[in-house]
Amino acid sequence: MSLYDEGHTIAGWTGFGVAAVGGCVVGLGVCAAALPVVVGGLVLAAVSVPVTWVLHLAGWGKPPGVRPRDQWPMRVRDAR
């Protein structure tokens, strides 16, 4: 079994959720042929990057690499 546990963090899943909602809004804007909705969805998708980074810096993201098994759960903050 590998000691790597990549991407299972509050920061990662929150960023993914915000980006996914942004993608859905873009899709709705394309279907409705509404440029402001498309732009709003693109802005929302772009906002997912700083949201993820801020949560990561606050300790809710984990750096890549090997971690002890007790630090694998998603709700465990980074010790560093």
Side-chain angles (χ1 to χ4, degrees):
M1 174 178 270
S2 173
L3 295 177
Y4 290 88
D5 184 40
E6 303 292 335
H8 298 226
T9 65
I10 298 292
W13 281 108
T14 302
F16 167 76
V18 173
V21 170
C24 289
V25 171
V26 169
L28 289 172
V30 168
C31 290
L35 185 60
V37 177
V38 171
V39 171
L42 290 173
V43 168
L44 190 57
V47 164
S48 70
V49 175
V51 165
T52 304
W53 188 245
V54 167
L55 285 171
H56 176 75
L57 292 177
W60 290 110
K62 297 173 185 157
V66 179
R67 281 191 304 280
R69 197 163 195 31
D70 64 332
Q71 292 182 9
W72 283 14
M74 188 167 72
R75 292 191 173 107
V76 174
R77 291 182 79 169
D78 184 25
R80 292 182 248 161

